[in-house]
Amino acid sequence: MSDKDYGIKVFRSDLPQSVKTRNLIFFFILSAIILIQCGYWLFANSVQPILLGMPFGMFFIVLFVLIEFLALFVLYFLESKEYED
């Protein structure tokens, strides 16, 4: 075994640097969204104000689920555009 066999391989070796950078950016964005959702009760733990007919805590969760969906949607279309080329 050589020294190159050790470690974790995150990306394929044939990926361009721009794709690796984009994927890392989306990974950190989505990870931050998930961590914010885990600790939302620290600042969104009240019923008031009512937004769009939902208590503030529920509105906060729905908002971040939509933000996460939009981020994944953008990532999907960026990758599908890349495969068309």
Side-chain angles (χ1 to χ4, degrees):
M1 291 189 135
S2 67
D3 291 335
K4 294 182 181 180
D5 293 334
Y6 295 108
I8 298 173
K9 298 208 184 282
V10 179
F11 297 110
R12 294 188 328 250
S13 60
D14 62 337
L15 281 178
Q17 186 62 35
S18 62
V19 174
K20 291 178 184 179
T21 304
R22 183 187 68 217
N23 288 346
L24 281 175
I25 290 170
F26 273 99
F27 172 76
F28 286 120
I29 288 172
L30 293 172
S31 296
I33 289 171
I34 290 170
L35 289 175
I36 289 170
Q37 286 178 346
C38 291
Y40 83 96
W41 53 271
L42 294 172
F43 51 89
N45 60 353
S46 64
V47 174
Q48 298 296 331
I50 301 291
L51 300 170
L52 299 176
M54 295 180 277
F56 184 64
M58 184 179 202
F59 173 78
F60 185 83
I61 292 296
V62 170
L63 177 68
F64 272 84
V65 167
L66 288 174
I67 291 171
E68 190 171 8
F69 169 75
L70 291 175
L72 288 171
F73 194 70
V74 168
L75 180 63
Y76 173 77
F77 278 108
L78 287 175
E79 285 187 352
S80 66
K81 188 174 96 173
E82 177 184 305
Y83 285 117
E84 288 176 359
D85 296 339

